[in-house]
Amino acid sequence: MVEDKRRYWNPVLETLDPEQHRALEIKNFRRLIRYAKGHSLFYQEKYKDINPEDILDLDTIRRLPLVDKEDLRKAQEGQEPFPYGEMLGVPLAEVTDFRQTSGTTGRPVYVPESYESWQWRVEVWCHILWMAGFRETDRVFIPFGYNVYVAFWEGHYAAEKVGCEVVPGGALDTRGRVSKIMEVKATALMNTPTYGLHLAEEVGKMGLDPKGLGIKRMLCAGEPLPPATRNRLGEIWGAEVYDHIGGTEPCAWAAMCGERQGLHIMEPFFLVEILDMETLSREVGPGELGVVVVTPLGRHSFPLLRFNTKDVVRRGEDNCPCGRTSKMISGVEGRADDLRKIRGVLFTPVTVEEVVRKEFPQVVEFEILVERKNLMDEICLRVEPQEEMGKETAKDFCRHIGERLKTKTNLRFQIEMVPPGGLPRYTLKSKRFKDLREVKNHE
Amino acid sequence: MNKSKETVGRADLKKMKENIDQIEVHLAKLLELGGGMPVIEKNVRAMKSFIHALKFGVSDIAELEE
């Protein structure tokens, strides 16, 4: 019985019947609308004609308006109370934490957390860490200066609550972090996938094997983690590598369990809708791609109802062997913003990463450039190998990788070899995909 | 009924909810007694935040099963 109680963070919640998850989500959605209308200027206006008591089921929820990042920006810029504007859901005096988005798609969004909302977020993360096997015996090293970005703050506070020992790794360079991992005998890491690879590269330069550092588990955050990259990280580090999905605005809404066959939606903390990409009105079925719309149901400081994350995921099959009954997604395809038409073909950069990481271990870093030349779209993969290649080897390599990319993406790539050390290294999110057609369009 | 529900039965959930509700009442009383002292105000705030998380994960489910 002790074993069973320790398997799940919350054994009752995590194994509820799916209908009970739905019932809770609908009830909490109603509760959140009531709260948001009473406390947030944005929702007072946006939902002025909506009576929360009319929210009876998912169909009625689906008729409510979506909110996207641009709505959040408009609700904040130049609006009182500074700096959160009309999105604020608690008195300004109750805000205890300032967070912001990374600003990769435009002006950052400022996200306030009250003490209560923050603890709610941390509670979700406790589930995530527990699912990934983090326990009181773990010494967790977080190789980042957290700054205003939320992910590693959440991981830090949740790891503490779970009972782990947390070693913050900011204010060190990568080599310093490697040394610290060894010095304290860390057993777990939290990092972006990109940085996990970069850290391993640095370990190699120090003449060591990452497997020898004793890391048993790694939780990744901040950017998509294609299966090939996850496997590569697992092989390099000799560790179990876990994915989760979230954001500053919508919080962490899905995560991997020990089975690592897809990600569980963190029900009933969130109402997560995975909607068809054409109309955003129909819930997709298993195996289908859809856009994710998230409502964090217990967060009051920044109420978010039907937030269009623009993440594109594949709906998974439920009934995970772990016993958790939440809905599943089988993988993240990327951001809807990153889905592009190139020569009429729908393309996502995640496909390239999957090919490179799975089939070409000699590639250390890569970059994808899309340009328009002579009225035609051209796509180029710039690759940096571990070691300089001979002329014939490079020629064969370019031909082989080009063929694999053509098979997987239906696009003919130019392949450009870059000398070792020639491509940038990223410590946070990578910026490997550059659509230069848009830059030119805006000039 | 699945295996986990066998280990934490309906009766337990109901009692847990009652306990959580009582803690909330006690916190309100403590806040009142504190008369604005920061040590009471801020620590009660922290405890109420944990109650918010517990209500989400325990009390709400207990209500569903009633």
Side-chain angles (χ1 to χ4, degrees):
Chain A
M1 192 182 277
V2 171
E3 183 70 39
D4 191 59
K5 277 186 177 164
R6 297 272 303 175
R7 186 177 176 189
Y8 307 104
W9 177 257
N10 185 332
V12 182
L13 183 149
E14 291 174 52
T15 59
L16 282 178
D17 290 331
E19 302 79 49
Q20 288 178 307
H21 277 305
R22 296 304 98 66
L24 274 173
E25 285 155 21
I26 291 164
K27 178 185 151 196
N28 285 331
F29 191 95
R30 250 198 314 273
R31 191 157 70 185
L32 186 63
I33 291 192
R34 272 186 230 118
Y35 182 89
K37 283 186 68 159
H39 294 83
S40 157
L41 293 169
F42 177 81
Y43 288 103
Q44 277 170 19
E45 179 57 34
K46 196 162 186 78
Y47 279 23
K48 63 181 180 221
D49 297 326
I50 290 160
N51 181 354
E53 308 320 312
D54 293 338
I55 306 299
L56 301 171
D57 51 30
L58 291 174
D59 284 336
T60 41
I61 288 172
R62 214 145 285 147
R63 290 198 279 273
L64 298 174
L66 295 174
V67 170
D68 65 19
K69 206 155 196 154
E70 218 27 63
D71 292 323
L72 306 183
R73 287 181 180 127
K74 282 184 192 145
Q76 288 195 333
E77 196 165 4
Q79 303 294 335
E80 291 294 322
F82 175 83
Y84 308 109
E86 297 178 344
M87 291 305 302
L88 186 62
V90 295
L92 197 56
E94 286 184 23
V95 175
T96 52
D97 290 90
F98 171 95
R99 307 276 182 242
Q100 68 172 64
T101 60
S102 55
T104 40
T105 59
R107 185 178 176 274
V109 173
Y110 302 131
V111 178
E113 302 291 351
S114 62
Y115 206 90
E116 178 197 86
S117 293
W118 182 243
Q119 291 306 326
W120 183 88
R121 287 186 83 135
V122 169
E123 180 68 14
V124 174
W125 260 79
C126 288
H127 282 261
I128 290 171
L129 291 181
W130 200 264
M131 282 207 298
F134 283 68
R135 295 292 185 272
E136 296 89 337
T137 47
D138 278 304
R139 184 170 286 127
V140 183
F141 185 75
I142 305 180
F144 278 103
Y146 310 161
N147 201 303
V148 294
Y149 308 118
V150 78
F152 301 108
W153 287 105
E154 285 175 311
H156 181 129
Y157 277 86
E160 279 181 4
K161 191 168 169 181
V162 160
C164 306
E165 184 185 333
V166 184
V167 183
L172 290 169
D173 62 13
T174 302
R175 188 160 283 223
R177 287 171 182 150
V178 172
S179 300
K180 204 69 186 172
I181 288 168
M182 294 193 295
E183 181 194 332
V184 302
K185 296 185 181 161
T187 62
L189 296 175
M190 285 186 208
N191 43 261
T192 61
T194 293
Y195 198 68
L197 292 170
H198 181 48
L199 203 56
E201 195 186 356
E202 193 63 34
V203 172
K205 284 180 188 166
M206 292 165 75
L208 303 166
D209 182 354
K211 283 193 198 59
L213 268 60
I215 298 299
K216 297 195 186 72
R217 71 196 82 258
M218 176 185 288
L219 182 72
C220 287
E223 55 186 3
L225 180 61
T229 308
R230 185 164 57 80
N231 292 337
R232 172 84 76 94
L233 283 166
E235 278 158 21
I236 292 171
W237 285 95
E240 292 175 358
V241 180
Y242 292 85
D243 193 9
H244 88 283
I245 309 171
T248 313
E249 308 100 315
C251 314
W253 55 268
M256 258 180 186
C257 67
E259 300 292 328
R260 289 180 289 156
Q261 295 171 25
L263 294 96
H264 289 268
I265 289 173
M266 305 306 295
E267 297 189 274
F269 291 94
F270 299 88
L271 175 65
V272 174
E273 304 164 75
I274 303 170
L275 304 176
D276 70 288
M277 291 195 281
E278 290 75 33
T279 66
L280 294 175
S281 63
R282 176 185 63 85
E283 186 82 32
V284 302
E288 280 188 83
L289 287 179
V291 175
V292 179
V293 170
V294 177
T295 303
L297 293 167
R299 201 251 234 111
H300 291 155
S301 56
F302 190 76
L304 210 55
L305 288 134
R306 298 200 81 215
F307 178 66
N308 183 355
T309 65
K310 301 196 178 164
D311 285 330
V312 176
V313 302
R314 193 172 297 278
R315 179 78 168 86
E317 294 283 350
D318 302 334
N319 302 314
C320 182
C322 76
R324 292 176 179 86
T325 52
S326 43
K327 288 193 289 190
M328 302 283 296
I329 59 172
S330 57
V332 180
E333 295 294 312
R335 304 231 357 113
D337 298 341
D338 286 342
L339 281 173
R340 306 295 163 89
K341 278 269 173 79
I342 298 171
R343 287 187 231 127
V345 175
L346 198 59
F347 169 78
T348 166
V350 170
T351 313
V352 174
E353 181 165 359
E354 181 69 17
V355 169
V356 170
R357 295 295 181 215
K358 190 173 179 178
E359 303 179 35
F360 299 94
Q362 64 270 59
V363 173
V364 172
E365 259 303 346
F366 66 94
E367 196 173 72
I368 307 163
L369 298 178
V370 180
E371 293 180 278
R372 179 151 287 144
K373 288 181 181 171
N374 301 322
L375 301 176
M376 285 284 290
D377 292 336
E378 296 220 353
I379 185 163
C380 174
L381 179 73
R382 306 180 76 218
V383 276
E384 181 191 318
Q386 254 170 349
E387 292 163 347
E388 198 77 59
M389 286 182 187
K391 202 172 167 183
E392 284 307 309
T393 310
K395 205 170 150 188
D396 280 340
F397 170 84
C398 290
R399 182 182 47 77
H400 186 203
I401 199 171
E403 282 169 2
R404 292 301 297 142
L405 289 173
K406 176 83 168 77
T407 302
K408 289 291 187 181
T409 67
N410 227 10
L411 288 167
R412 191 167 305 283
F413 277 69
Q414 306 269 11
I415 310 293
E416 181 190 325
M417 300 293 287
V418 175
L423 286 178
R425 296 295 188 268
Y426 302 97
T427 54
L428 202 62
K429 292 185 190 194
S430 60
K431 295 181 180 79
R432 296 192 181 100
F433 179 62
K434 293 170 185 162
D435 191 338
L436 302 177
R437 298 174 301 178
E438 290 171 355
V439 172
K440 286 212 154 72
N441 283 341
H442 289 133
E443 281 171 357
Chain B
M1 190 187 281
N2 69 44
K3 197 175 173 194
S4 287
K5 284 184 181 168
E6 287 166 18
T7 58
V8 183
R10 289 198 167 112
D12 292 339
L13 273 183
K14 195 175 166 213
K15 281 184 195 160
M16 285 185 219
K17 179 181 179 306
E18 284 165 7
N19 262 269
I20 292 165
D21 291 342
Q22 280 166 19
I23 294 170
E24 210 174 16
V25 169
H26 284 304
L27 286 175
K29 280 192 188 147
L30 181 57
L31 192 64
E32 205 185 309
L33 285 169
M37 277 198 289
V39 60
I40 298 295
E41 190 187 307
K42 304 300 182 187
N43 278 287
V44 165
R45 179 191 69 177
M47 287 189 272
K48 280 170 79 170
S49 300
F50 292 117
I51 291 297
H52 177 66
L54 280 173
K55 284 170 95 165
F56 224 88
V58 178
S59 306
D60 278 357
I61 298 163
E63 282 173 13
L64 201 58
E65 305 222 322
E66 275 167 8

